[in-house]
Amino acid sequence: MTTLPALRIAAWQDETPPGGIDACLHRIEHAVHNARSQDVDMLVFPECFLTGYFREARDVAGVAASVTDHHITHLQQLCDNTKTGFTLGTYQTVDSGVANVAHVFLPETDSPLTYRKRALFGDWEKSVFVRGSEPLQFEFRGRACAVLICFDVEFPELVRDLAAAGAD
């Protein structure tokens, strides 16, 4: 049996800073560089950290649209340059509306993996987000990893299905 080296996972607990996406990108850069200096392999940011969690329903689509491909490319480059993976929550425009997603940035990949929250919580989330339907599993540094967002973990079948599919 092969023993894998330790996988250091850290959580960045913070509120989305005021000042829009650019201010948040600056905070993310600081956090990822800080994580790298502490030999963290994967840094996990809060749900919807890039955009902020709660917005007036009338503003959600505009906020989602403010996250551009340029921002995502910049974040992927940050991941590649630091060799530090990170999981970042945001709003994302999708064909059927706006989704609450977690982007998983892995070093030396072209673009992040994306998970859409499947268990929307409360009336506000159900009124502004479309529900995801697919799990996300991926390999990272020899480990089978998976993503769930907040309220998703309250549903044992979501966790059980990921474990049955091989997630560590």
Side-chain angles (χ1 to χ4, degrees):
M1 184 163 129
T2 304
T3 302
L4 296 171
L7 181 64
R8 292 193 67 169
I9 301 171
W12 182 263
Q13 193 61 30
D14 198 356
E15 291 183 30
T16 300
I21 300 297
D22 290 334
C24 195
L25 289 172
H26 180 71
R27 181 81 51 92
I28 292 165
E29 290 169 6
H30 167 77
V32 171
H33 283 286
N34 184 49
R36 178 71 274 149
S37 72
Q38 297 179 46
D39 296 323
V40 169
D41 297 300
M42 174 64 71
L43 181 61
V44 180
F45 287 91
E47 179 178 11
C48 297
F49 185 74
L50 183 59
T51 51
Y53 175 73
F54 179 79
R55 302 288 183 148
E56 293 296 328
R58 67 181 176 275
D59 299 332
V60 169
V63 171
S66 71
V67 180
T68 66
D69 289 344
H70 173 75
H71 295 124
I72 300 302
T73 298
H74 175 79
L75 290 164
Q76 184 61 56
Q77 289 170 343
L78 172 65
C79 175
D80 292 343
N81 292 341
T82 60
K83 305 291 189 248
T84 302
F86 57 95
T87 302
L88 178 64
T90 186
Y91 299 174
Q92 182 183 48
T93 303
V94 296
D95 290 340
S96 55
V98 175
N100 176 342
V101 306
H103 290 308
V104 179
F105 293 88
L106 301 173
E108 300 176 12
T109 59
D110 293 332
S111 59
L113 303 171
T114 301
Y115 170 75
R116 294 181 187 172
K117 186 174 183 179
R118 293 183 281 167
L120 300 177
F121 176 77
D123 292 339
W124 177 77
E125 281 194 9
K126 291 174 184 173
S127 72
V128 298
F129 297 126
V130 295
R131 183 181 317 274
S133 60
E134 299 295 324
L136 174 63
Q137 288 187 248
F138 58 96
E139 187 277 328
F140 182 61
R141 301 202 172 143
R143 303 293 197 303
C145 301
V147 175
L148 294 172
I149 300 173
C150 198
F151 195 54
D152 285 337
V153 302
E154 298 297 326
F155 295 84
E157 63 274 16
L158 298 180
V159 177
R160 183 177 47 247
D161 290 350
L162 292 169
D168 291 329

